[in-house]
Structures are given as C-alpha cells and as structure tokens.
Amino acid sequence: MIEQPFTVSISGEAIEDLHRRLLATRWPDTVTSSGWTYGLDLEWMKSITDYWLNQYDWDAQQRMLNQYPHYLATIDGFRIHYLHFRSKRPNAVPLIITHGWPGSFLELLKVAPMLADSASDPFHVVIPSLPGYGFSQRPSSPGMNTLRTAELWVRLMCELGYDRFVAQGGDIGANVSSVMAWKHPESVLALHLNYIPGSYRPWVDEAAPLRPEETAFKDKAQQWYDEKGGYWHVQATQPQTVGFALNDSPVGLAAWLIDKYRDWADCDGVVERRFSRDELLTHVSLYWFTETIASSCRMYLESRRAPLVFGRDEPIAVPCGVLWFAKEEPMPPRAWVERAYNVVRWTEKPVGGHFAAWEEPEAFASDVREFVAPFRNQALREDSTAIMHAEIR
C-alpha cells in the first residue's frame, strides 16, 4: 500500500461559522449558587466560551497538528485516517494504539514520539482514528462496531507491512484491541490495555460462586452506571437524537465533552489542573469541524448490539498487560479480567485517570515498553522481513 499523506486544513469559512454560533449562544438558566452540582457550571462555561471566541487560535493548533505524520488509507472501501510514526531504530516493534470516546488521536500525541524515539525499546507507532471520529470516514450503514473496526485495523497493519504487532487501547480502543487479540492471535503478539471494556462479559460457571471482589465490582459498576452513565444510556440507545443538538451548537458540544474530561480525569473536579484550555478546545474543535459527534456516539449503539461476550472455551490467548490508573472507574478486579484475558502483567498507578496517555504520558509509555520487553526478540524474529519492508517504504 502506498501511503497517502494527509494535511489538516479547516477553512476560514468554517472558523467564521463557529464564531457566529458562539456569539449567538442562547444560555440556559441555572439554580442559584448551584455551581457544578447540576452539571457544568454556567459561569465557567461562559468563561471558556469567551476564550474560545476571543483568544483560542485554531490556526496555531492546526500548524502544530500538521507537524505530525498524518495519512489516509482506504480499507474495504472505507477511508481511515491514521498517524504513522516510523522509528528510525532497527529493532522497532510495530504497535497500534486505539483511542476511545470522547477522545481522539490528539490524546496520544504525547506518547507516540516517546515510543517511536526510544533508544532501547523503540516502536513503529500507528494511531488510527476510529470510524466516525476525526478525519476517518463517517459510517453511513449499520454494523460499524468494534468487531468490524478490529478487522479494518488488522488489514491496515498488514497493508503497512506489519504482519505481527502489539495492540494497545483504552475505552472503546480497549474493546477494539481486545477483539484483534481474540480473533487474530496470529497477528497480535501482545495486548496492552489501560481500560477493560464496559461490555466485557466472561463466561462464568454458575455452579462456582464469584469471588467477593468480583461481586463487589459488579455492584459498584451498576452504581456507577446509575449515577454517571446517563451519557451512555443516551448514546447507546438514541445517538442520532442527541446528535441533532450537539452537531448544531458548539457550546452544547463543548459542555457534553468537557463534562467527561472533567469527570473522568484525575483532576479533583478542576479540569484545568490536568488540561489547558487550548487542549480542551482543540479536542472539542476537532469534533466540531469534522461534524463527527453524531457518528462517534453511534459507536455506542453499535457496540451495545455486538458486546464483548465470551463463551466457555473462548479466552484471549494472547499475553495481556493491564495498566490501571487510580481514577479509572469502574475498573474490575484482576480475577474478573483473568476469566477471559491471559493477564501476565498487572500494574496499578496511584495517580491518573481515564485519559491515560494524555494525563500521564511518561508512566503510560514506560509501562508499554516494560510490558513488551519480554516479547521484543520474538517480534523481531517473526516480523523482521515485514519491519524492513515498512522501513524501506
């Protein structure tokens, strides 16, 4: 496959349209002195909207983004946007990292150079945008779920010359990476996760009781979905309905996304402790300019229709490493994960949250390198021809 370079280019007309809509925002009322108890604080939203309108510089962010190696590929008739960081090191191992919602390739930009440029443990890093996210094509027919995405990713890696590779993922990306390892063990050398998919259901012998920590987790997870899972219920049942509002109002979109950055990151409720306003608004602007909020939400409905459910004799044989950051929730205990995953490494970090690579890039990159180290020689033996071919390209 000849890679097709891609340049991020948002028109001046699109930026002007955004500004017009921001100026025309019709603000909701709120309960007096309620702060953040009913959702995002009204005064804070007005402040960041003013920043978006008067100080935020998309053109500067676009120039920054275009310093990275963007490409497009068409696999089975579907256009995929991806970044490809080819290491200059001869012992690099291919690695595909998949993001989730409400994220994008942006949250992985800090770790990709760390992994590709490592002197001792380098990787060829591939970061695709999920179908319906960022600059990837928006699906127009049903069935583009995590299983289908996994098939596209394996094809993409093979087209790039990587017949054997490591898969990493968080959030929806954890689901996609798990399916790749499950369905294509001949391609996936090792699996690294910083999240366990919410739809994950291992086979359980009803005659054998669950361990206490597993029972406690199931109760805690249900409580989490009851208290914080409103977004999931909407996106997994009626994504198109909420899409009408979020695709039309930039402030509404910003509130929907930033609410999750604030709630899921390890920031004690102060999102700007973790992420700058420019970082937050670049994420939101990417969703806005590409008009992908509706299509990204539809992935939840598609995945609900095709959950990650394992039968009695269907475990993932590929070695798996799990990296658990303290604020990630709901996170199952190791016993529950090991019912279907071949867990060979389990690491817990005292700080960090859902957006692992964005929040704690050094810890994330270090754990990936340490996990893959025992498999590195095997990868180089099995895939040396493919790696050399990719480097020549």
Side-chain angles (χ1 to χ4, degrees):
M1 180 182 74
I2 299 176
E3 294 187 303
Q4 177 184 347
F6 173 76
T7 300
V8 178
S9 180
I10 302 301
S11 69
E13 290 79 4
I15 296 172
E16 291 174 4
D17 175 67
L18 168 62
H19 289 170
R20 283 195 298 269
R21 290 169 185 263
L22 292 174
L23 281 169
T25 299
R26 187 171 68 171
W27 295 100
D29 65 344
T30 190
V31 175
T32 303
S33 301
S34 59
W36 301 82
T37 57
Y38 286 79
L40 292 190
D41 177 73
L42 177 60
E43 294 305 315
W44 188 86
M45 280 302 302
K46 288 182 176 180
S47 174
I48 198 169
T49 299
D50 179 77
Y51 183 90
W52 198 1
L53 179 63
N54 296 306
Q55 298 183 57
Y56 176 76
D57 187 348
W58 168 261
D59 288 334
Q61 297 300 313
Q62 184 167 269
R63 288 193 295 272
M64 177 273 293
L65 294 179
N66 282 325
Q67 295 176 6
Y68 295 98
H70 297 264
Y71 299 93
L72 296 177
T74 300
I75 306 294
D76 291 345
F78 195 88
R79 189 187 74 247
I80 297 167
H81 163 260
Y82 65 99
L83 292 94
H84 190 182
F85 296 79
R86 299 181 190 84
S87 177
K88 297 178 181 179
R89 309 280 180 178
N91 59 330
V93 172
L95 167 67
I96 183 169
I97 309 179
T98 309
H99 66 84
W101 188 94
S104 68
F105 68 87
L106 294 172
E107 63 186 291
L108 301 167
L109 292 181
K110 295 178 182 179
V111 300
M114 294 181 186
L115 294 167
D117 298 337
S118 172
S120 58
D121 302 288
F123 294 87
H124 297 300
V125 183
V126 179
I127 301 175
S129 293
L130 286 165
Y133 288 68
F135 301 106
S136 282
Q137 182 177 335
R138 288 171 284 179
S140 58
S141 57
M144 185 56 80
N145 50 42
T146 54
L147 281 76
R148 175 72 182 121
T149 302
E151 296 298 322
L152 290 175
W153 277 198
V154 171
R155 283 284 308 279
L156 172 64
M157 293 299 279
C158 289
E159 291 285 345
L160 292 173
Y162 302 137
D163 295 325
R164 290 279 278 171
F165 54 87
V166 176
Q168 202 289 327
D171 194 82
I172 293 173
N175 194 318
V176 173
S177 297
S178 296
V179 174
M180 282 193 284
W182 184 24
K183 299 297 184 180
H184 293 278
E186 76 285 354
S187 298
V188 179
L189 175 72
L191 172 67
H192 186 276
L193 305 175
N194 58 275
Y195 180 80
I196 302 302
S199 69
Y200 163 62
R201 297 294 182 272
W203 183 83
V204 176
D205 185 349
E206 295 186 1
L210 296 178
R211 295 183 180 183
E213 65 268 29
E214 293 177 295
T215 301
F217 159 71
K218 295 186 72 174
D219 293 341
K220 184 178 181 180
Q222 186 58 55
Q223 181 182 1
W224 188 91
Y225 279 105
D226 290 344
E227 296 177 356
K228 299 184 178 182
Y231 79 97
W232 184 91
H233 290 285
V234 172
Q235 294 178 186
T237 58
Q238 296 176 305
Q240 195 65 27
T241 301
V242 72
F244 287 111
L246 302 183
N247 196 60
D248 191 59
S249 168
V251 170
L253 174 65
W256 192 253
L257 298 179
I258 294 174
D259 179 70
K260 296 299 166 278
Y261 302 145
R262 173 181 177 266
D263 192 42
W264 296 351
D266 185 5
C267 65
D268 295 323
V270 184
V271 69
E272 289 174 86
R273 287 182 182 173
R274 271 291 177 181
F275 312 124
S276 70
R277 289 191 168 192
D278 280 354
E279 287 180 296
L280 294 170
L281 292 174
T282 299
H283 275 263
V284 176
S285 296
L286 178 65
Y287 275 88
W288 176 260
F289 288 132
T290 57
E291 299 184 48
T292 51
I293 186 58
S295 54
S296 70
C297 290
R298 287 198 293 269
M299 179 67 86
Y300 279 76
L301 185 146
E302 299 291 359
S303 297
R304 182 176 65 85
R305 291 174 173 173
L308 191 63
V309 178
F310 293 85
R312 177 195 288 267
D313 298 314
E314 295 183 320
I316 298 175
V318 171
C320 176
V322 177
L323 176 59
W324 180 6
F325 286 93
K327 185 65 190 304
E328 181 66 273
E329 57 181 0
M331 189 72 175
R334 182 168 182 167
W336 182 250
V337 178
E338 288 182 327
R339 288 180 178 272
Y341 289 85
N342 177 20
V343 179
V344 298
R345 177 184 171 93
W346 182 279
T347 308
E348 298 183 17
K349 296 293 184 179
V351 297
H354 184 72
F355 306 99
W358 189 13
E359 294 182 59
E360 297 288 337
E362 292 83 4
F364 178 95
S366 176
D367 199 77
V368 170
R369 286 194 294 262
E370 292 174 11
F371 166 66
V372 175
F375 312 105
R376 182 168 289 274
N377 289 336
Q378 178 185 349
L380 295 176
R381 285 196 305 269
E382 294 181 352
D383 210 33
S384 58
T385 302
I387 291 175
M388 291 174 61
H389 183 56
E391 288 176 342
I392 291 172
R393 288 183 175 179

